[in-house]
Amino acid sequence: MNFDQKAIIITGGGSGLGEATARTVAAAGGYPVILDLNEEKGQAIAEELNGLFFKTNVVKEEDVQLAINGAVEKYGSIQGVVNCAGLGTSTRVVGRKGVFPLDEFNFIIQVNLVGTFNVIRLAAAAMMTNETNDDGERGVIVNTASVAAFDGQIGQAAYSASKSGIVGMTLPIARDLASYGIRVMTIAPGIFDTPLMGKAPQELKEALGKQIPFPQRLGEATEFAHLVKAIFENPMLNGETIRLDGAIRMAPR
Ligand SMILES: NC(=O)c1ccc[n+]([C@@H]2O[C@H](COP(=O)([O-])OP(=O)(O)OC[C@H]3O[C@@H](n4cnc5c(N)ncnc54)[C@H](O)[C@@H]3O)[C@@H](O)[C@H]2O)c1
């Protein structure tokens, strides 16, 4: 499936990897539909790209349903979803500040894992009645995990659990949606230079880059968007997680 004249839902499209994806969708003739908590940035990017913005908390059923309905109303249908909304914290199970707060653990699981699933299920329901393309496809879903799903670092118990949950549900959801012609893939990025990382000093970014076997630098958000586009375009990619990480394997800290 290509992006040409297709409406593609992009959660977290107001920043970083999601923003780069929205720009790639628009450059390829598609209509980015940005769902983000950040109204100011999300709205500005959607206007610039001639797409749509919906202030959305991905965890909230009514927010996501309203956004999908709005996109279908404007474009007739949606053909794809790229789940980029997410966040992380660094807290040890037991540390100097005490025991890991259960609320914090729950919050990370809710946004990263439950939020991703919430968008998948509601978008799949909207896409299952689409006309099929020449490959028999009705839609494509791409999720964002992290290499922390496999080699989580000290302090990443909640983040790693949320991201490995996304990796774990990729195959069963692909199997669930196969009969509708909807593919499901996940990307597990290594370390990417996004606003999430932007506040870090340049020396830290360079030090992190040196940990990557090759290329010895942080990933660019456009390189993530490039893989999203390749996944949409290749009908054989389904039910799998792809690491996009320059061969890094994270050390404990
Ligand atoms: N940058 C990296 O190095 C890296 C590495 C591995 C994985 N990731 C993952 O990639 C995804 C995007 O990361 P990024 O670096 O672009 O981060 P970012 O902070 O630049 O962008 C994330 C966006 O998600 C939005 N968001 C957060 N919670 C939300 C919610 N509940 N509902 C709707 N929107 C919400 C934010 O407002 C923000 O615009 C995240 O899931 C992150 O865990 C990033």
Side-chain angles (χ1 to χ4, degrees):
M1 178 176 298
N2 59 35
F3 290 141
D4 193 34
Q5 294 179 50
K6 313 275 189 340
I8 310 294
I9 301 261
I10 302 156
T11 76
S15 178
L17 304 182
E19 176 182 346
T21 302
R23 292 185 183 283
T24 295
V25 167
Y31 312 122
V33 180
I34 295 175
L35 279 58
D36 203 299
L37 276 178
N38 188 330
E39 189 164 17
E40 201 186 325
K41 283 192 69 187
Q43 184 77 58
I45 294 163
E47 267 172 34
E48 183 195 330
L49 300 178
N50 209 11
L52 284 182
F53 170 77
F54 295 93
K55 184 172 182 186
T56 308
N57 182 344
V58 290
V59 177
K60 292 198 176 156
E61 178 162 21
E62 58 277 20
D63 278 15
V64 176
Q65 191 64 66
L66 273 174
I68 291 171
N69 292 350
V72 170
E73 198 174 301
K74 165 103 181 186
Y75 299 116
S77 60
I78 55 165
Q79 269 83 19
V81 176
V82 186
N83 276 304
C84 291
L87 41 83
T89 54
S90 180
T91 305
R92 291 186 186 220
V93 177
V94 186
R96 267 184 235 114
K97 291 186 203 151
V99 70
F100 198 129
L102 205 51
D103 283 353
E104 181 186 323
F105 191 90
N106 263 321
F107 175 68
I108 299 295
I109 298 288
Q110 281 293 317
V111 175
N112 292 356
L113 179 57
V114 180
T116 297
F117 183 69
N118 189 32
V119 176
I120 290 174
R121 71 192 181 103
L122 297 174
M127 294 192 293
M128 60 187 271
T129 52
N130 286 349
E131 297 281 319
T132 54
N133 67 10
D134 290 348
D135 292 311
E137 295 173 325
R138 290 193 170 87
V140 178
I141 297 170
V142 179
N143 306 308
T144 309
S146 163
V147 292
F150 310 102
D151 23 271
Q153 296 187 291
I154 284 171
Q156 286 192 317
Y159 186 69
S160 294
S162 70
K163 294 301 189 177
S164 58
I166 294 174
V167 172
M169 70 182 178
T170 301
L171 179 62
I173 297 175
R175 287 172 164 170
D176 279 1
L177 300 181
S179 56
Y180 301 112
I182 299 172
R183 292 187 289 117
V184 185
M185 287 289 293
T186 293
I187 300 174
I191 313 171
F192 276 67
D193 194 2
T194 67
L196 198 92
M197 189 58 74
K199 293 165 206 130
Q202 190 57 30
E203 307 86 76
L204 176 63
K205 284 193 198 174
E206 279 171 22
L208 285 169
K210 293 253 158 51
Q211 292 177 20
I212 301 171
F214 187 82
Q216 289 207 324
R217 59 167 176 79
L218 303 190
E220 302 285 347
T222 49
E223 292 166 333
F224 172 89
H226 184 278
L227 180 56
V228 172
K229 185 166 182 276
I231 290 171
F232 267 76
E233 289 174 351
N234 191 327
M236 273 311 281
L237 284 170
N238 195 13
E240 183 56 283
T241 297
I242 301 176
R243 287 182 74 126
L244 185 67
D245 65 2
I248 198 169
R249 299 295 178 267
M250 304 301 283
R253 71 178 88 218

